[in-house]
Structure formats: C-alpha cells, structure tokens
Amino acid sequence: MSERRQPFVAGNWKCHTTLAEATRLADDIKRRIGRLRTVEMGVIPPFPFIERVASRLAGEAIQVGAQDIYAKGSGAYTGAVSGAMLKSVGADFVLVGHSERRLIFGDNDAVVSAKLQAALNSGLQVILCIGERLEERDAGEAASACQTQLAAALQDIPKQALQNVTIAYEPVWAIGTGRVASPSQAQEIHFVIRTWITGHYDSDVAASTRIQYGGSVKPDNISGLILQPDVDGALVGGASLDADSFSAIVTASIDSSAEADSARNRF
Ligand code: PEP
C-alpha cells in the first residue's frame, strides 16, 4: 500500500495586517482548524507579529513561520533579522527564495543559498520557493529554470538536512495574479523537481520531500491540484488572509489527499 506524504498548507500573510488584525486572524484560524491532525499547517505573519501569533497558536497544530531571514547572524547589520532572533520569538520555519524577495529585493541564487544554510544552521525548517517567470515558461524553459534554482539553493545541503526542507513550486506568473497553474502544469513541474531530487540525493529522499504548489490557490481550485501525485500541499498568499478561505483550503487538502490515497490503493 502506498503511503502519501502528509499535506502541508502554509499561509503567507506578506506585508499585510496590523498587530490587532494578525491576532484576530490567528484566533479565527485556530478556532476553525487548530485541532486538525492529518495535515500540517503553518501561518507566516510579518516579523513584528510572530511572537504574538506564536503565543496565540501555542499548543495547536499550526506552526508559525517567518517571511525572510538574514544569512549572516547577529552583528552590525541594521534592519536585518537573524535565525536566532526568529527562533527566540517562536518561529518554527522560514520562507527562503520567495519570488517577491528575488524580484523586489534582489535575492539572487547565492543569497538564497546562504539564507537556506543560515536557517538550517539556526534550527529552523525551511520552505524553499522556486518557480519560473512567464518569459521562461513561454520559451519552454520552465523546467530548466526550476532545476537551476534548485541546484543553486541546495548545492551545499547534505541529504540528512533535506528532511527539514519543503520545496514550494511557485510559478511567478501565478502569484497574486488569479491565474493558477492547471493541475497538469503543476504536476509536470512537481515531477521534474522530484526527479531532480532523486538524481542529486536518492529516491528515498525524493519520496519523503514535500513539494507545495503556490500561486493563486483558492478554496475552489485546491482540490484539483492536491489530487496530483506529486503535489503535497500549498503555499497560499492572498487567500490566507481570510480565515474561512484558508480553513477551506486546508480541509479540502485533507479530503482530496485522502481521495487520492484511496484511488491509488484501489489499483
Ligand atoms: C505567495 O505569496 O506565495 C502566493 C502564492 O500568493 P497568492 O496565493 O496570492 O498567489
């Protein structure tokens, strides 16, 4: 009988919410889905609200992440936030390589790789975001763009550390645009990613690594995505700012992955 990876659904609140709104959102999410156990969940508030959100979610099955990390640790780096700081306010994981960091803040492959190392060295789990731009997809280079980003980010990461890394495939053209990848477009690249992991690590590592899809995920499109064999959850932006939408995405992920499991076991 094949065992499906447990889905992991995380909500990236980006540069939204005030302290009061973040607290309310955490409380609302907790009330709706805090007790679920067959899915892994995370919320990713802005830096100043991590501690408050972590304390509201203490004891629940919802992890708290950070949206970024500075690679160099503590020192004379005005405005930066280190992994040790994130751990000390209750962060469990951190996003690395989000396309908004790459495109707006200039995080290139070397910076992404350094941040990934720093996060793991600080004892944080990582969601590593990769994904092609529209020009790359149109040129037939979606797969190679993702392979290049993977190779750069994971070049110094040993096999045993990969258990602390989730990959998020986030095509840039789908983020915040309402233009979601079709289930088959997502599956095609997720399979490329898993194949790459097999080649650079081994098939056991590839089989246990979770690969989320991100880009305009909503309650009405998650089911088709999560039914794909290599889609193991979602990284959700806009829809995670609404407790009802985020909760609906989480519960649909459980239902659909259970459905996918039973279909696999029937054949
Ligand atoms: C994201 O920020 O990672 C994201 C996928 O955003 P959205 O769901 O709004 O497209």
Side-chain angles (χ1 to χ4, degrees):
M1 193 167 96
S2 64
E3 267 301 310
R4 172 128 186 163
R5 294 164 290 276
Q6 187 173 65
F8 179 19
V9 180
N12 174 14
W13 296 357
K14 310 197 191 199
C15 189
H16 293 290
T17 70
T18 59
L19 178 59
E21 288 164 349
T23 307
R24 199 173 326 118
L25 184 52
D27 287 343
D28 287 348
I29 290 171
K30 169 170 145 177
R31 209 171 311 112
R32 285 163 177 75
I33 53 175
R35 299 275 151 202
L36 296 179
R37 289 292 180 274
T38 51
V39 61
E40 203 169 318
M41 300 171 278
V43 293
I44 315 170
F47 284 142
F49 312 144
I50 291 174
E51 185 174 15
R52 168 71 68 87
V53 168
S55 76
R56 300 303 263 229
L57 297 177
E60 305 293 328
I62 305 172
Q63 300 179 50
V64 180
Q67 297 176 17
D68 190 31
I69 181 173
Y70 187 59
K72 291 208 174 129
S74 56
Y77 309 121
T78 303
V81 176
S82 71
M85 292 173 189
L86 295 174
K87 283 288 282 184
S88 74
V89 292
D92 304 298
F93 70 95
V94 61
L95 287 185
V96 168
H98 192 282
S99 66
E100 286 154 15
R101 296 295 318 174
R102 293 179 190 259
L103 298 172
I104 302 170
F105 299 97
D107 286 10
N108 60 24
D109 282 338
V111 169
V112 171
S113 163
K115 288 185 174 187
L116 179 49
Q117 285 273 12
L120 294 173
N121 290 341
S122 305
L124 290 159
Q125 307 270 324
V126 173
I127 296 179
L128 167 65
C129 305
I130 59 166
E132 81 284 0
R133 288 175 286 115
L134 187 57
E135 312 84 90
E136 292 169 322
R137 172 155 287 268
D138 288 345
E141 292 164 2
S144 60
C146 291
Q147 287 164 331
T148 302
Q149 289 174 12
L150 275 178
L154 296 176
Q155 59 184 333
D156 297 321
I157 305 300
K159 176 173 150 174
Q160 54 294 3
L162 213 67
Q163 67 195 14
N164 296 315
V165 179
T166 295
I167 314 278
Y169 167 55
E170 298 210 300
V172 177
W173 47 271
I175 297 182
T177 59
R179 191 182 157 193
V180 64
S182 68
S184 60
Q185 283 173 322
Q187 170 57 26
E188 184 186 351
I189 301 295
H190 282 231
F191 181 73
V192 165
I193 294 169
R194 206 173 299 288
T195 304
W196 186 93
I197 297 171
T198 303
H200 288 76
Y201 294 93
D202 61 41
S203 54
D204 288 342
V205 177
S208 60
T209 301
R210 276 169 318 175
I211 308 173
Q212 298 172 319
Y213 168 79
S216 297
V217 170
K218 303 278 181 290
D220 63 2
N221 60 32
I222 182 63
S223 298
L225 291 159
I226 202 89
L227 277 171
Q228 303 304 307
D230 289 301
V231 176
D232 307 313
L235 181 54
V236 185
S240 71
L241 291 165
D242 179 89
D244 283 333
S245 297
F246 185 64
S247 305
I249 290 168
V250 168
T251 46
S253 300
I254 305 174
D255 295 347
S256 303
S257 75
E259 190 182 322
D261 261 354
S262 75
R264 233 190 312 280
N265 292 331
R266 235 178 287 130
F267 300 108

